[in-house]
Amino acid sequence: MNNDIFPCLWYDGDAKESAEFYCKIFGGEITTDTPVVMNIDLFGQRIMLLNGGAQFKKNASVSLMVICETEDEVQKYWNQLSDGGMPLMDLSSYSWSKKYGWIQDKYGVSWQLFLGDKAGEQKIVPTMMFIHDNNGKAKEAMELYTKTFLNSSIGNILKYGEGSEGHDTQEPAENVQHAHFVIDHYSLFCMDNSYDHSFDFNEGISMVVMTDDQQQTDNYWNALTSDGGRESMCGWLKDKYGFSWQIVPKRLIQLMNDSNQEKAYKVVQAMMKMQKIIIQDLEDAYNS
């Protein structure tokens, strides 16, 4: 399992409260605890919670699917996530799962609870919904992502027109109802959806990619910002579909966590002025 790729959830001051909530529900632990960044470990997977302010709200364009082994496990998570939460699809039996439900919790994070077989080692699989102008582009997006990252592949693809019982007949037959793909050993799911939702991809949920060196940083940055993508600040970017990524050299984290707080502060100040992270410029700031 690759813990150099993981989701980041945006909060307005309540990241720690949320982290404690998830660790209690899923039996995880907090591994990083700062006023801005919380990291939690759930089932051996890293999730970042970022206190970034009120600017962005999480929504169901990206959800976290939890693959459960028993009906009781699905029910247990559903009961706890229902505390202040809102069902998006009722907990019930469906053609694709004997027990399944989709719920938005009180912190705005959407969870799909699914009784079924795991996709590789991962218990939690981020799921991207391609809607509005992106509707019908799920397969194209998978091809871009798997071409960009090493150790990647596209797995099973179920299209709406392939006879799945109970599917929405308003969906184009060639659209993706559900698909699995892997980027550098990290599993994600995706789907197309024609419904006119009031939300879309935004910075509320992003994917963090930790890189080994400048070449890897450049390769990922250039591939994801090409053909309609947009650079943002501090290692953030949006790809051509509006999905947000954080391309973060591991060296940045090392320098920011240096025991010499004055040097670490200089690194942070240098990083704040960057779009793509330039490791040598961070080193220069550290040594200045």
Side-chain angles (χ1 to χ4, degrees):
M1 192 186 308
N2 186 350
N3 263 325
D4 288 340
I5 300 178
F6 49 91
C8 173
L9 313 176
W10 186 284
Y11 289 84
D12 184 16
D14 52 357
K16 183 166 187 175
E17 180 184 310
S18 177
E20 292 170 345
F21 182 65
Y22 300 142
C23 288
K24 180 182 177 183
I25 292 174
F26 297 110
E29 63 175 340
I30 294 172
T31 56
T32 301
D33 184 351
T34 74
V36 177
V37 173
M38 306 286 301
N39 282 336
I40 59 176
D41 181 301
L42 302 181
F43 309 109
Q45 295 176 235
R46 186 195 304 191
I47 300 176
M48 176 191 277
L49 294 77
L50 176 66
N51 274 324
Q55 189 174 2
F56 304 112
K57 302 293 184 185
K58 299 175 287 295
N59 65 61
S61 63
V62 184
S63 56
L64 299 177
M65 184 174 288
V66 184
I67 302 173
C68 303
E69 297 179 14
T70 66
E71 292 188 43
D72 287 345
E73 186 183 9
V74 176
Q75 189 70 55
K76 179 179 72 169
Y77 297 150
W78 180 270
N79 291 346
Q80 295 179 86
L81 291 167
S82 296
D83 176 17
M86 178 179 67
L88 303 179
M89 284 185 68
D90 289 336
L91 184 63
S92 187
S93 176
Y94 295 90
S95 60
W96 59 87
S97 176
K98 189 176 177 182
K99 198 174 186 76
Y100 167 91
W102 192 338
I103 189 166
Q104 179 178 289
D105 69 30
K106 59 186 175 182
Y107 300 103
V109 180
S110 297
W111 301 85
Q112 296 188 62
L113 306 176
F114 172 83
L115 177 63
D117 297 327
K118 284 201 293 186
E121 298 178 50
Q122 279 175 234
K123 176 90 168 176
I124 300 176
V125 183
T127 303
M128 306 169 67
M129 188 192 307
F130 287 81
I131 52 181
H132 302 136
D133 291 344
N134 289 324
N135 183 33
K137 296 180 180 177
K139 187 171 185 293
E140 175 192 301
M142 286 192 289
E143 290 169 350
L144 170 63
Y145 300 149
T146 54
K147 184 175 68 174
T148 297
F149 293 92
L150 301 172
N151 306 305
S152 299
S153 61
I154 296 175
N156 293 331
I157 299 176
L158 175 67
K159 296 182 179 180
Y160 282 102
E162 292 177 340
S164 173
E165 178 189 345
H167 85 263
D168 187 343
T169 55
Q170 294 181 346
E171 295 285 351
E174 286 301 304
N175 276 13
V176 172
Q177 183 176 3
H178 179 80
H180 171 218
F181 66 103
V182 176
I183 56 172
D184 200 6
H185 304 295
Y186 187 85
S187 282
L188 297 105
F189 294 144
C190 67
M191 68 181 84
D192 290 309
N193 189 280
S194 298
Y195 189 79
D196 186 20
H197 295 284
S198 60
F199 53 78
D200 211 331
F201 294 143
N202 68 5
E203 290 86 343
I205 302 182
S206 58
M207 291 300 297
V208 180
V209 180
M210 305 295 297
T211 58
D212 294 327
D213 52 35
Q214 192 65 52
Q215 181 178 356
Q216 193 176 57
T217 302
D218 292 349
N219 289 346
Y220 292 161
W221 186 272
N222 294 340
L224 293 170
T225 56
S226 66
D227 193 23
R230 287 194 292 118
E231 298 183 350
S232 187
M233 297 300 294
C234 305
W236 287 68
L237 64 86
K238 285 192 174 189
D239 64 29
K240 63 189 292 187
Y241 310 104
F243 186 74
S244 292
W245 300 81
Q246 299 180 55
I247 310 300
V248 183
K250 295 174 185 175
R251 184 62 177 148
L252 169 62
I253 306 303
Q254 294 170 353
L255 293 171
M256 285 174 59
N257 291 330
D258 193 87
S259 57
N260 186 319
Q261 292 188 355
E262 183 179 348
K263 287 180 174 290
Y265 179 74
K266 288 181 179 179
V267 171
V268 172
Q269 291 300 104
M271 181 269 294
M272 295 290 285
K273 299 174 184 175
M274 298 180 184
Q275 292 183 309
K276 179 177 69 176
I277 304 299
I278 308 298
I279 298 172
Q280 186 58 55
D281 291 352
L282 298 177
E283 302 279 9
D284 292 345
Y286 178 84
N287 292 314
S288 64

mmCIF file with all atom_site columns, all heavy atoms in Angstrom, residues 68-88:
data_model
loop_
_atom_site.group_PDB
_atom_site.id
_atom_site.type_symbol
_atom_site.label_atom_id
_atom_site.label_alt_id
_atom_site.label_comp_id
_atom_site.label_asym_id
_atom_site.label_entity_id
_atom_site.label_seq_id
_atom_site.pdbx_PDB_ins_code
_atom_site.Cartn_x
_atom_site.Cartn_y
_atom_site.Cartn_z
_atom_site.occupancy
_atom_site.B_iso_or_equiv
_atom_site.pdbx_formal_charge
_atom_site.auth_seq_id
_atom_site.auth_comp_id
_atom_site.auth_asym_id
_atom_site.auth_atom_id
_atom_site.pdbx_PDB_model_num
ATOM 1   N N   . CYS A 1 68 ? -16.420 -3.091 3.573  1.00 0.00 ? 68 CYS A N   1
ATOM 2   C CA  . CYS A 1 68 ? -16.684 -3.809 4.818  1.00 0.00 ? 68 CYS A CA  1
ATOM 3   C C   . CYS A 1 68 ? -16.822 -5.311 4.568  1.00 0.00 ? 68 CYS A C   1
ATOM 4   O O   . CYS A 1 68 ? -17.222 -5.741 3.490  1.00 0.00 ? 68 CYS A O   1
ATOM 5   C CB  . CYS A 1 68 ? -17.961 -3.271 5.466  1.00 0.00 ? 68 CYS A CB  1
ATOM 6   S SG  . CYS A 1 68 ? -17.912 -1.479 5.804  1.00 0.00 ? 68 CYS A SG  1
ATOM 7   N N   . GLU A 1 69 ? -16.515 -6.083 5.603  1.00 0.00 ? 69 GLU A N   1
ATOM 8   C CA  . GLU A 1 69 ? -16.511 -7.537 5.479  1.00 0.00 ? 69 GLU A CA  1
ATOM 9   C C   . GLU A 1 69 ? -17.817 -8.173 5.929  1.00 0.00 ? 69 GLU A C   1
ATOM 10  O O   . GLU A 1 69 ? -18.126 -9.302 5.530  1.00 0.00 ? 69 GLU A O   1
ATOM 11  C CB  . GLU A 1 69 ? -15.347 -8.125 6.289  1.00 0.00 ? 69 GLU A CB  1
ATOM 12  C CG  . GLU A 1 69 ? -13.981 -7.687 5.779  1.00 0.00 ? 69 GLU A CG  1
ATOM 13  C CD  . GLU A 1 69 ? -12.853 -8.259 6.611  1.00 0.00 ? 69 GLU A CD  1
ATOM 14  O OE1 . GLU A 1 69 ? -13.119 -9.191 7.409  1.00 0.00 ? 69 GLU A OE1 1
ATOM 15  O OE2 . GLU A 1 69 ? -11.707 -7.792 6.465  1.00 0.00 ? 69 GLU A OE2 1
ATOM 16  N N   . THR A 1 70 ? -18.575 -7.472 6.785  1.00 0.00 ? 70 THR A N   1
ATOM 17  C CA  . THR A 1 70 ? -19.827 -8.040 7.294  1.00 0.00 ? 70 THR A CA  1
ATOM 18  C C   . THR A 1 70 ? -20.915 -6.974 7.297  1.00 0.00 ? 70 THR A C   1
ATOM 19  O O   . THR A 1 70 ? -20.635 -5.772 7.302  1.00 0.00 ? 70 THR A O   1
ATOM 20  C CB  . THR A 1 70 ? -19.657 -8.565 8.732  1.00 0.00 ? 70 THR A CB  1
ATOM 21  O OG1 . THR A 1 70 ? -19.409 -7.455 9.612  1.00 0.00 ? 70 THR A OG1 1
ATOM 22  C CG2 . THR A 1 70 ? -18.512 -9.560 8.832  1.00 0.00 ? 70 THR A CG2 1
ATOM 23  N N   . GLU A 1 71 ? -22.167 -7.429 7.317  1.00 0.00 ? 71 GLU A N   1
ATOM 24  C CA  . GLU A 1 71 ? -23.291 -6.500 7.414  1.00 0.00 ? 71 GLU A CA  1
ATOM 25  C C   . GLU A 1 71 ? -23.247 -5.729 8.733  1.00 0.00 ? 71 GLU A C   1
ATOM 26  O O   . GLU A 1 71 ? -23.589 -4.545 8.781  1.00 0.00 ? 71 GLU A O   1
ATOM 27  C CB  . GLU A 1 71 ? -24.615 -7.259 7.282  1.00 0.00 ? 71 GLU A CB  1
ATOM 28  C CG  . GLU A 1 71 ? -24.856 -7.848 5.897  1.00 0.00 ? 71 GLU A CG  1
ATOM 29  C CD  . GLU A 1 71 ? -26.255 -8.420 5.753  1.00 0.00 ? 71 GLU A CD  1
ATOM 30  O OE1 . GLU A 1 71 ? -27.211 -7.763 6.221  1.00 0.00 ? 71 GLU A OE1 1
ATOM 31  O OE2 . GLU A 1 71 ? -26.399 -9.526 5.182  1.00 0.00 ? 71 GLU A OE2 1
ATOM 32  N N   . ASP A 1 72 ? -22.811 -6.390 9.788  1.00 0.00 ? 72 ASP A N   1
ATOM 33  C CA  . ASP A 1 72 ? -22.722 -5.721 11.086 1.00 0.00 ? 72 ASP A CA  1
ATOM 34  C C   . ASP A 1 72 ? -21.723 -4.576 11.059 1.00 0.00 ? 72 ASP A C   1
ATOM 35  O O   . ASP A 1 72 ? -21.925 -3.534 11.698 1.00 0.00 ? 72 ASP A O   1
ATOM 36  C CB  . ASP A 1 72 ? -22.323 -6.721 12.175 1.00 0.00 ? 72 ASP A CB  1
ATOM 37  C CG  . ASP A 1 72 ? -23.450 -7.672 12.542 1.00 0.00 ? 72 ASP A CG  1
ATOM 38  O OD1 . ASP A 1 72 ? -24.616 -7.386 12.163 1.00 0.00 ? 72 ASP A OD1 1
ATOM 39  O OD2 . ASP A 1 72 ? -23.178 -8.696 13.195 1.00 0.00 ? 72 ASP A OD2 1
ATOM 40  N N   . GLU A 1 73 ? -20.626 -4.760 10.317 1.00 0.00 ? 73 GLU A N   1
ATOM 41  C CA  . GLU A 1 73 ? -19.620 -3.700 10.207 1.00 0.00 ? 73 GLU A CA  1
ATOM 42  C C   . GLU A 1 73 ? -20.206 -2.489 9.483  1.00 0.00 ? 73 GLU A C   1
ATOM 43  O O   . GLU A 1 73 ? -20.017 -1.345 9.908  1.00 0.00 ? 73 GLU A O   1
ATOM 44  C CB  . GLU A 1 73 ? -18.378 -4.222 9.469  1.00 0.00 ? 73 GLU A CB  1
ATOM 45  C CG  . GLU A 1 73 ? -17.238 -3.216 9.445  1.00 0.00 ? 73 GLU A CG  1
ATOM 46  C CD  . GLU A 1 73 ? -16.030 -3.697 8.651  1.00 0.00 ? 73 GLU A CD  1
ATOM 47  O OE1 . GLU A 1 73 ? -16.123 -4.760 7.968  1.00 0.00 ? 73 GLU A OE1 1
ATOM 48  O OE2 . GLU A 1 73 ? -14.998 -3.014 8.688  1.00 0.00 ? 73 GLU A OE2 1
ATOM 49  N N   . VAL A 1 74 ? -20.912 -2.733 8.387  1.00 0.00 ? 74 VAL A N   1
ATOM 50  C CA  . VAL A 1 74 ? -21.572 -1.633 7.676  1.00 0.00 ? 74 VAL A CA  1
ATOM 51  C C   . VAL A 1 74 ? -22.515 -0.899 8.622  1.00 0.00 ? 74 VAL A C   1
ATOM 52  O O   . VAL A 1 74 ? -22.501 0.344  8.707  1.00 0.00 ? 74 VAL A O   1
ATOM 53  C CB  . VAL A 1 74 ? -22.362 -2.161 6.455  1.00 0.00 ? 74 VAL A CB  1
ATOM 54  C CG1 . VAL A 1 74 ? -23.125 -1.013 5.786  1.00 0.00 ? 74 VAL A CG1 1
ATOM 55  C CG2 . VAL A 1 74 ? -21.443 -2.834 5.445  1.00 0.00 ? 74 VAL A CG2 1
ATOM 56  N N   . GLN A 1 75 ? -23.317 -1.642 9.342  1.00 0.00 ? 75 GLN A N   1
ATOM 57  C CA  . GLN A 1 75 ? -24.307 -1.042 10.242 1.00 0.00 ? 75 GLN A CA  1
ATOM 58  C C   . GLN A 1 75 ? -23.639 -0.223 11.352 1.00 0.00 ? 75 GLN A C   1
ATOM 59  O O   . GLN A 1 75 ? -24.106 0.867  11.699 1.00 0.00 ? 75 GLN A O   1
ATOM 60  C CB  . GLN A 1 75 ? -25.164 -2.142 10.868 1.00 0.00 ? 75 GLN A CB  1
ATOM 61  C CG  . GLN A 1 75 ? -26.368 -1.620 11.647 1.00 0.00 ? 75 GLN A CG  1
ATOM 62  C CD  . GLN A 1 75 ? -27.434 -1.029 10.736 1.00 0.00 ? 75 GLN A CD  1
ATOM 63  O OE1 . GLN A 1 75 ? -27.909 -1.688 9.813  1.00 0.00 ? 75 GLN A OE1 1
ATOM 64  N NE2 . GLN A 1 75 ? -27.800 0.229  10.980 1.00 0.00 ? 75 GLN A NE2 1
ATOM 65  N N   . LYS A 1 76 ? -22.549 -0.745 11.894 1.00 0.00 ? 76 LYS A N   1
ATOM 66  C CA  . LYS A 1 76 ? -21.836 -0.054 12.979 1.00 0.00 ? 76 LYS A CA  1
ATOM 67  C C   . LYS A 1 76 ? -21.327 1.310  12.522 1.00 0.00 ? 76 LYS A C   1
ATOM 68  O O   . LYS A 1 76 ? -21.523 2.331  13.203 1.00 0.00 ? 76 LYS A O   1
ATOM 69  C CB  . LYS A 1 76 ? -20.669 -0.920 13.461 1.00 0.00 ? 76 LYS A CB  1
ATOM 70  C CG  . LYS A 1 76 ? -19.847 -0.283 14.579 1.00 0.00 ? 76 LYS A CG  1
ATOM 71  C CD  . LYS A 1 76 ? -18.714 -1.194 15.022 1.00 0.00 ? 76 LYS A CD  1
ATOM 72  C CE  . LYS A 1 76 ? -17.614 -1.273 13.988 1.00 0.00 ? 76 LYS A CE  1
ATOM 73  N NZ  . LYS A 1 76 ? -16.382 -1.945 14.513 1.00 0.00 ? 76 LYS A NZ  1
ATOM 74  N N   . TYR A 1 77 ? -20.685 1.352  11.350 1.00 0.00 ? 77 TYR A N   1
ATOM 75  C CA  . TYR A 1 77 ? -20.160 2.625  10.841 1.00 0.00 ? 77 TYR A CA  1
ATOM 76  C C   . TYR A 1 77 ? -21.309 3.577  10.501 1.00 0.00 ? 77 TYR A C   1
ATOM 77  O O   . TYR A 1 77 ? -21.237 4.784  10.763 1.00 0.00 ? 77 TYR A O   1
ATOM 78  C CB  . TYR A 1 77 ? -19.290 2.400  9.608  1.00 0.00 ? 77 TYR A CB  1
ATOM 79  C CG  . TYR A 1 77 ? -18.046 1.569  9.854  1.00 0.00 ? 77 TYR A CG  1
ATOM 80  C CD1 . TYR A 1 77 ? -17.518 0.772  8.838  1.00 0.00 ? 77 TYR A CD1 1
ATOM 81  C CD2 . TYR A 1 77 ? -17.406 1.571  11.090 1.00 0.00 ? 77 TYR A CD2 1
ATOM 82  C CE1 . TYR A 1 77 ? -16.380 0.006  9.044  1.00 0.00 ? 77 TYR A CE1 1
ATOM 83  C CE2 . TYR A 1 77 ? -16.267 0.813  11.302 1.00 0.00 ? 77 TYR A CE2 1
ATOM 84  C CZ  . TYR A 1 77 ? -15.756 0.028  10.278 1.00 0.00 ? 77 TYR A CZ  1
ATOM 85  O OH  . TYR A 1 77 ? -14.637 -0.731 10.478 1.00 0.00 ? 77 TYR A OH  1
ATOM 86  N N   . TRP A 1 78 ? -22.369 3.039  9.908  1.00 0.00 ? 78 TRP A N   1
ATOM 87  C CA  . TRP A 1 78 ? -23.518 3.871  9.529  1.00 0.00 ? 78 TRP A CA  1
ATOM 88  C C   . TRP A 1 78 ? -24.130 4.533  10.769 1.00 0.00 ? 78 TRP A C   1
ATOM 89  O O   . TRP A 1 78 ? -24.411 5.739  10.764 1.00 0.00 ? 78 TRP A O   1
ATOM 90  C CB  . TRP A 1 78 ? -24.556 3.020  8.818  1.00 0.00 ? 78 TRP A CB  1
ATOM 91  C CG  . TRP A 1 78 ? -25.779 3.787  8.378  1.00 0.00 ? 78 TRP A CG  1
ATOM 92  C CD1 . TRP A 1 78 ? -26.925 3.987  9.098  1.00 0.00 ? 78 TRP A CD1 1
ATOM 93  C CD2 . TRP A 1 78 ? -25.960 4.464  7.131  1.00 0.00 ? 78 TRP A CD2 1
ATOM 94  N NE1 . TRP A 1 78 ? -27.816 4.741  8.367  1.00 0.00 ? 78 TRP A NE1 1
ATOM 95  C CE2 . TRP A 1 78 ? -27.245 5.056  7.152  1.00 0.00 ? 78 TRP A CE2 1
ATOM 96  C CE3 . TRP A 1 78 ? -25.166 4.627  5.997  1.00 0.00 ? 78 TRP A CE3 1
ATOM 97  C CZ2 . TRP A 1 78 ? -27.751 5.792  6.090  1.00 0.00 ? 78 TRP A CZ2 1
ATOM 98  C CZ3 . TRP A 1 78 ? -25.676 5.358  4.922  1.00 0.00 ? 78 TRP A CZ3 1
ATOM 99  C CH2 . TRP A 1 78 ? -26.949 5.940  4.981  1.00 0.00 ? 78 TRP A CH2 1
ATOM 100 N N   . ASN A 1 79 ? -24.297 3.760  11.803 1.00 0.00 ? 79 ASN A N   1
ATOM 101 C CA  . ASN A 1 79 ? -24.912 4.302  13.017 1.00 0.00 ? 79 ASN A CA  1
ATOM 102 C C   . ASN A 1 79 ? -24.098 5.457  13.589 1.00 0.00 ? 79 ASN A C   1
ATOM 103 O O   . ASN A 1 79 ? -24.652 6.480  14.024 1.00 0.00 ? 79 ASN A O   1
ATOM 104 C CB  . ASN A 1 79 ? -25.047 3.198  14.078 1.00 0.00 ? 79 ASN A CB  1
ATOM 105 C CG  . ASN A 1 79 ? -26.075 2.142  13.704 1.00 0.00 ? 79 ASN A CG  1
ATOM 106 O OD1 . ASN A 1 79 ? -26.882 2.339  12.795 1.00 0.00 ? 79 ASN A OD1 1
ATOM 107 N ND2 . ASN A 1 79 ? -26.041 1.013  14.393 1.00 0.00 ? 79 ASN A ND2 1
ATOM 108 N N   . GLN A 1 80 ? -22.788 5.315  13.578 1.00 0.00 ? 80 GLN A N   1
ATOM 109 C CA  . GLN A 1 80 ? -21.931 6.349  14.166 1.00 0.00 ? 80 GLN A CA  1
ATOM 110 C C   . GLN A 1 80 ? -21.788 7.573  13.257 1.00 0.00 ? 80 GLN A C   1
ATOM 111 O O   . GLN A 1 80 ? -21.786 8.712  13.732 1.00 0.00 ? 80 GLN A O   1
ATOM 112 C CB  . GLN A 1 80 ? -20.558 5.761  14.493 1.00 0.00 ? 80 GLN A CB  1
ATOM 113 C CG  . GLN A 1 80 ? -20.633 4.700  15.578 1.00 0.00 ? 80 GLN A CG  1
ATOM 114 C CD  . GLN A 1 80 ? -19.278 4.093  15.881 1.00 0.00 ? 80 GLN A CD  1
ATOM 115 O OE1 . GLN A 1 80 ? -18.522 4.623  16.681 1.00 0.00 ? 80 GLN A OE1 1
ATOM 116 N NE2 . GLN A 1 80 ? -18.964 2.975  15.231 1.00 0.00 ? 80 GLN A NE2 1
ATOM 117 N N   . LEU A 1 81 ? -21.705 7.354  11.952 1.00 0.00 ? 81 LEU A N   1
ATOM 118 C CA  . LEU A 1 81 ? -21.606 8.478  11.016 1.00 0.00 ? 81 LEU A CA  1
ATOM 119 C C   . LEU A 1 81 ? -22.932 9.233  10.913 1.00 0.00 ? 81 LEU A C   1
ATOM 120 O O   . LEU A 1 81 ? -22.961 10.392 10.482 1.00 0.00 ? 81 LEU A O   1
ATOM 121 C CB  . LEU A 1 81 ? -21.164 7.986  9.631  1.00 0.00 ? 81 LEU A CB  1
ATOM 122 C CG  . LEU A 1 81 ? -19.722 7.480  9.540  1.00 0.00 ? 81 LEU A CG  1
ATOM 123 C CD1 . LEU A 1 81 ? -19.501 6.738  8.228  1.00 0.00 ? 81 LEU A CD1 1
ATOM 124 C CD2 . LEU A 1 81 ? -18.722 8.625  9.680  1.00 0.00 ? 81 LEU A CD2 1
ATOM 125 N N   . SER A 1 82 ? -24.029 8.580  11.302 1.00 0.00 ? 82 SER A N   1
ATOM 126 C CA  . SER A 1 82 ? -25.347 9.228  11.266 1.00 0.00 ? 82 SER A CA  1
ATOM 127 C C   . SER A 1 82 ? -25.498 10.295 12.342 1.00 0.00 ? 82 SER A C   1
ATOM 128 O O   . SER A 1 82 ? -26.423 11.117 12.264 1.00 0.00 ? 82 SER A O   1
ATOM 129 C CB  . SER A 1 82 ? -26.451 8.179  11.455 1.00 0.00 ? 82 SER A CB  1
ATOM 130 O OG  . SER A 1 82 ? -26.462 7.260  10.385 1.00 0.00 ? 82 SER A OG  1
ATOM 131 N N   . ASP A 1 83 ? -24.618 10.315 13.344 1.00 0.00 ? 83 ASP A N   1
ATOM 132 C CA  . ASP A 1 83 ? -24.667 11.315 14.409 1.00 0.00 ? 83 ASP A CA  1
ATOM 133 C C   . ASP A 1 83 ? -24.414 12.701 13.821 1.00 0.00 ? 83 ASP A C   1
ATOM 134 O O   . ASP A 1 83 ? -23.274 13.080 13.578 1.00 0.00 ? 83 ASP A O   1
ATOM 135 C CB  . ASP A 1 83 ? -23.618 10.980 15.468 1.00 0.00 ? 83 ASP A CB  1
ATOM 136 C CG  . ASP A 1 83 ? -23.539 12.031 16.571 1.00 0.00 ? 83 ASP A CG  1
ATOM 137 O OD1 . ASP A 1 83 ? -24.485 12.834 16.696 1.00 0.00 ? 83 ASP A OD1 1
ATOM 138 O OD2 . ASP A 1 83 ? -22.526 12.055 17.302 1.00 0.00 ? 83 ASP A OD2 1
ATOM 139 N N   . GLY A 1 84 ? -25.489 13.436 13.550 1.00 0.00 ? 84 GLY A N   1
ATOM 140 C CA  . GLY A 1 84 ? -25.369 14.751 12.919 1.00 0.00 ? 84 GLY A CA  1
ATOM 141 C C   . GLY A 1 84 ? -25.191 14.700 11.422 1.00 0.00 ? 84 GLY A C   1
ATOM 142 O O   . GLY A 1 84 ? -25.014 15.737 10.773 1.00 0.00 ? 84 GLY A O   1
ATOM 143 N N   . GLY A 1 85 ? -25.225 13.484 10.848 1.00 0.00 ? 85 GLY A N   1
ATOM 144 C CA  . GLY A 1 85 ? -25.003 13.323 9.417  1.00 0.00 ? 85 GLY A CA  1
ATOM 145 C C   . GLY A 1 85 ? -26.290 13.322 8.617  1.00 0.00 ? 85 GLY A C   1
ATOM 146 O O   . GLY A 1 85 ? -27.395 13.454 9.159  1.00 0.00 ? 85 GLY A O   1
ATOM 147 N N   . MET A 1 86 ? -26.152 13.149 7.290  1.00 0.00 ? 86 MET A N   1
ATOM 148 C CA  . MET A 1 86 ? -27.295 13.195 6.371  1.00 0.00 ? 86 MET A CA  1
ATOM 149 C C   . MET A 1 86 ? -27.154 12.093 5.323  1.00 0.00 ? 86 MET A C   1
ATOM 150 O O   . MET A 1 86 ? -26.179 12.091 4.560  1.00 0.00 ? 86 MET A O   1
ATOM 151 C CB  . MET A 1 86 ? -27.357 14.553 5.680  1.00 0.00 ? 86 MET A CB  1
ATOM 152 C CG  . MET A 1 86 ? -28.488 14.692 4.665  1.00 0.00 ? 86 MET A CG  1
ATOM 153 S SD  . MET A 1 86 ? -28.514 16.341 3.908  1.00 0.00 ? 86 MET A SD  1
ATOM 154 C CE  . MET A 1 86 ? -26.979 16.320 2.973  1.00 0.00 ? 86 MET A CE  1
ATOM 155 N N   . PRO A 1 87 ? -28.087 11.145 5.260  1.00 0.00 ? 87 PRO A N   1
ATOM 156 C CA  . PRO A 1 87 ? -28.007 10.091 4.250  1.00 0.00 ? 87 PRO A CA  1
ATOM 157 C C   . PRO A 1 87 ? -28.117 10.664 2.827  1.00 0.00 ? 87 PRO A C   1
ATOM 158 O O   . PRO A 1 87 ? -28.967 11.512 2.556  1.00 0.00 ? 87 PRO A O   1
ATOM 159 C CB  . PRO A 1 87 ? -29.212 9.202  4.571  1.00 0.00 ? 87 PRO A CB  1
ATOM 160 C CG  . PRO A 1 87 ? -29.570 9.513  5.985  1.00 0.00 ? 87 PRO A CG  1
ATOM 161 C CD  . PRO A 1 87 ? -29.222 10.961 6.175  1.00 0.00 ? 87 PRO A CD  1
ATOM 162 N N   . LEU A 1 88 ? -27.265 10.180 1.933  1.00 0.00 ? 88 LEU A N   1
ATOM 163 C CA  . LEU A 1 88 ? -27.341 10.540 0.516  1.00 0.00 ? 88 LEU A CA  1
ATOM 164 C C   . LEU A 1 88 ? -27.961 9.403  -0.290 1.00 0.00 ? 88 LEU A C   1
ATOM 165 O O   . LEU A 1 88 ? -28.627 9.645  -1.287 1.00 0.00 ? 88 LEU A O   1
ATOM 166 C CB  . LEU A 1 88 ? -25.943 10.883 -0.021 1.00 0.00 ? 88 LEU A CB  1
ATOM 167 C CG  . LEU A 1 88 ? -25.208 12.007 0.710  1.00 0.00 ? 88 LEU A CG  1
ATOM 168 C CD1 . LEU A 1 88 ? -23.836 12.237 0.100  1.00 0.00 ? 88 LEU A CD1 1
ATOM 169 C CD2 . LEU A 1 88 ? -26.015 13.310 0.697  1.00 0.00 ? 88 LEU A CD2 1
#
